[in-house]
Amino acid sequence: MKLFSTIIVSSCLATQAFGVSPVVSKTKGLSKPALVTHKSPLRQKNTADVSPLFRDPTITRGGAIPGLEAYSDALDKKPITMKALTSLVGWFLGDLLAQLFIAGGPVDYKRLATLSFFGFIYHGPSGHYFYNWLDKQIPGTDAVPVFSKVAIDQLFWCPIFMSVFFTYLGLVNGDSLSTIGSKIKNDLLTACQGSWKVWPIVHLINFKFVSNKWRIPYINAVQIAFNMFLSLLGSKTS
């Protein structure tokens, strides 16, 4: 009996410590403690109420990242426009950072606008169509399709993209076709070699883990740094 009483008392103390209080049953015979739960002091506050990482989705779209859901919806409804705008921002930031922190300023606003517009008019839309075509032709995320996509991207798409890039810059600057041709001849290999040092690894992750919808946003996130290299190379005289 003493042992039984000791067990009952110990149980009551333990449940009180964890926010649970015993309620004694009123039935005849031996009283048995019925447990009624109360919130422990350690659990009085909901994490979602105090942490900025948890947002009310009815107030902030996208949860922890404000606007992400709205951006995702826009990618579904207007993919070309949104990818074009995303590339505009990526190229704008890439060239702005290059001018401020590598070239040392001051900011050449014409060059900044020229490269930003290239991101909008060509990089985003062309990337949309190219990666849609590539995913359709080579579906899957196993080793063979992933490495095949990386090879096609770097050996075929990269030289085409760089040639268009240098041609665009030359036309904007009013260069002759011979000058543009010389620029491509002199700098195309350098541009491709710079790409081959960065993008194969980036695209291994891209084609393995990133869905088609998010390829251009993912590429632009990485390309901000690479665009610093391209903006400097593009502004170099022939």
Side-chain angles (χ1 to χ4, degrees):
M1 186 66 184
K2 290 182 178 181
L3 177 60
F4 182 76
S5 300
T6 302
I7 293 174
I8 294 298
V9 172
S10 300
S11 300
C12 292
L13 293 175
T15 55
Q16 287 179 353
F18 287 95
V20 182
S21 59
V23 175
V24 179
S25 176
K26 295 182 179 179
T27 57
K28 293 181 180 179
L30 186 64
S31 297
K32 294 182 180 179
L35 300 182
V36 178
T37 59
H38 296 284
K39 283 189 176 181
S40 167
L42 297 177
R43 300 180 180 179
Q44 288 298 319
K45 290 186 177 181
N46 191 339
T47 306
D49 296 333
V50 297
S51 174
L53 294 178
F54 298 89
R55 309 289 183 89
D56 184 349
T58 62
I59 300 175
T60 305
R61 302 190 69 186
I65 304 178
L68 180 61
E69 185 178 346
Y71 178 77
S72 178
D73 291 342
L75 278 175
D76 291 329
K77 296 175 182 177
K78 299 179 179 179
I80 299 176
T81 301
M82 290 308 299
K83 290 174 183 178
L85 291 172
T86 301
S87 291
L88 183 150
V89 173
W91 283 77
F92 173 86
L93 292 176
D95 185 55
L96 181 64
L97 294 174
Q99 292 195 49
L100 291 177
F101 298 107
I102 296 180
V107 176
D108 183 342
Y109 290 102
K110 179 183 176 182
R111 171 180 142 181
L112 184 62
T114 297
L115 290 172
S116 300
F117 188 69
F118 177 79
F120 176 79
I121 199 68
Y122 183 76
H123 180 264
S126 67
H128 169 81
Y129 288 112
F130 172 71
Y131 291 117
N132 280 357
W133 173 84
L134 193 59
D135 287 334
K136 183 178 180 180
Q137 299 302 316
I138 311 176
T141 56
D142 294 332
V144 173
V146 167
F147 279 96
S148 299
K149 290 178 183 180
V150 172
I152 292 172
D153 180 90
Q154 291 301 295
L155 296 178
F156 294 97
W157 179 245
C158 178
I160 294 172
F161 178 85
M162 295 300 181
S163 298
V164 173
F165 174 69
F166 290 131
T167 301
Y168 166 80
L169 291 182
L171 293 175
V172 170
N173 292 330
D175 296 335
S176 64
L177 293 180
S178 60
T179 302
I180 294 174
S182 297
K183 178 72 173 179
I184 294 174
K185 180 180 178 180
N186 294 333
D187 291 338
L188 179 60
L189 181 59
T190 301
C192 289
Q193 288 175 335
S195 174
W196 296 337
K197 294 176 182 178
V198 176
W199 289 103
I201 295 176
V202 173
H203 281 309
L204 283 174
I205 298 172
N206 180 21
F207 296 127
K208 178 67 177 178
F209 300 107
V210 181
S211 66
N212 178 276
K213 170 183 175 180
W214 293 97
R215 294 209 194 286
I216 296 300
Y218 165 77
I219 289 171
N220 273 281
V222 179
Q223 193 150 357
I224 289 175
F226 188 72
N227 285 348
M228 296 169 67
F229 162 74
L230 280 184
S231 66
L232 294 176
L233 187 63
S235 61
K236 188 181 72 174
T237 58
S238 301

